[in-house]
Amino acid sequence: MSHVSAPSADSPSDSPREPRDQAPQFVLPLVVRIERDAPPARTDALETAARAVLVLLGDDRAQGDGAWAEAVRNWEDARIRKVVRRARGAEWRRAGTLPGITVTGRSAEVRVFPPIPLDGWPKDLAKLQVSGTELDDPEPPAAADAAQPVLWLNPEVEMSAGKAMAQAGHGAQLAWWALSDADRTAWRDAGFPLTVRTADPADWSRLTTSGLPLVRDAGFTEIAPGLTVAVEGVDRVSSLPRVRRP
C-alpha cells in the first residue's frame, strides 16, 4: 500500500490521519503477463505499468460521465492504492475478458482495470498471485531519455518488480496531476513516453529536495515507510512529438 504526495495543495498528503482515510477504499488493479518461458524485462515492465496507469487516466471512460469515471473519482478521494498481480496462459486470457486496457511495451504486457473496492476483487483477478514478480533486465538499461519525464527510483530501497511497478504507477499519476489539460493531451498524443530508472545514490538528495513530485510509501507491504520515487521533467511533455497514427 502506498500513497503519493506532491507539492500541490490538492494532492494526497502523507498525513496519517485524514478524511480520505475514512472514505471507502479502492484499489487500481494491474496484471502483468509473465509467461514461464518468456518473462518481460524488468525495466520495460516498470515503464509499461506506468504508462498503463496514464492510459487509463486519459481514457474517455475514466472522465466526465464515462463508465469508469465514478470509480476513478472514488479511488482518488481515498488513499491511492495500486496492486500488481501476475498471470500467464489461461489466467492472462481470462483477465483479458474483464473490462480494462492492455498496454504493450517492448517485451512487457500489462492490463490495467478500473478501480475496484478494496475487498471487491473479481474472481479471476483475486486468485492471481501478487508474489513471484521477480524480473531482471537482460542488459543494463540505457541512460534516461532527457526529452521525457523520468521516474527515479530510490537507490536505497530494494523492491520486487511488482512493488516497483506499483511505485512507478504512482509516479506517473503524480506527473499526470501536475499537468494542465492541454499538456495531458499532448502527452497522450505522444503515446505517454517516459523513463523509469534507479537514481544515482549521489543524486538522490538533490531529487528529493528540489520540489519535485515525490511518492511516499506507507510501509505496509514489503518495504519500510519512506520515499520511493521522484518525478523529474514533467514540463517536458509539451514538446514531445506526436505519435503518427494510421
Side-chain angles (χ1 to χ4, degrees), residues 3 5 39 43 64 68 70 78-79 119 131-132 157 172 201 220 223 225 228:
H3 49 280
S5 58
T43 296
W68 301 342
E70 183 177 3
R79 289 293 178 182
D119 58 356
S131 61
V157 177
F220 292 114
I223 62 175
T228 55

Side-chain angles (χ1 to χ4, degrees), residues 12-25:
S13 79
D14 57 0
S15 170
R17 295 185 181 87
E18 288 192 7
R20 68 182 61 251
D21 292 311
Q22 307 304 318
Q25 299 295 301

Side-chain angles (χ1 to χ4, degrees), residues 20 26 41 46 63 70 76 88 100 104 117 130 133 138 146 161 171 187 214 235 242:
R20 68 182 61 251
F26 286 72
L46 269 58
Q63 302 176 11
E70 183 177 3
E76 291 188 332
R88 64 170 180 259
T104 302
V130 176
T133 51
W187 203 9
L214 304 172
D235 56 335
R242 293 189 176 189

Side-chain angles (χ1 to χ4, degrees), residues 39-201:
R42 179 185 174 97
T43 296
D44 189 40
L46 269 58
E47 293 176 347
T48 304
R51 286 195 297 112
V53 171
L54 293 167
V55 168
L56 181 131
L57 291 172
D59 193 279
D60 290 343
R61 289 167 289 184
Q63 302 176 11
D65 296 325
W68 301 342
E70 183 177 3
V72 170
R73 287 192 294 268
N74 289 338
W75 170 59
E76 291 188 332
D77 284 344
R79 289 293 178 182
I80 303 301
R81 304 168 188 246
K82 299 178 183 70
V83 172
V84 177
R85 296 177 183 255
R86 59 184 172 88
R88 64 170 180 259
E91 297 172 331
W92 175 255
R93 291 190 292 273
R94 284 193 294 269
T97 67
L98 300 175
I101 306 170
T102 297
V103 176
T104 302
R106 290 180 296 276
S107 63
E109 290 180 83
V110 175
R111 188 164 179 83
V112 60
F113 303 85
I116 57 175
L118 196 58
D119 58 356
W121 285 77
K123 177 181 63 176
D124 285 333
L125 298 184
K127 60 187 178 182
L128 298 177
Q129 295 296 311
V130 176
S131 61
T133 51
E134 297 302 332
L135 301 172
D136 297 310
D137 282 314
E139 300 177 356
D145 189 333
Q148 301 176 359
V150 182
L151 312 179
W152 292 108
L153 302 178
N154 187 340
E156 300 174 355
V157 177
E158 292 187 11
M159 294 181 279
S160 67
K163 181 73 172 180
M165 288 169 69
Q167 300 303 304
H170 293 326
Q173 190 167 4
L174 281 184
W176 176 262
W177 284 347
L179 294 171
S180 66
D181 288 344
D183 283 344
R184 288 176 179 179
T185 298
W187 203 9
R188 181 176 59 194
D189 289 347
F192 292 122
L194 54 82
T195 304
V196 179
R197 294 291 185 272
T198 299
D200 186 312

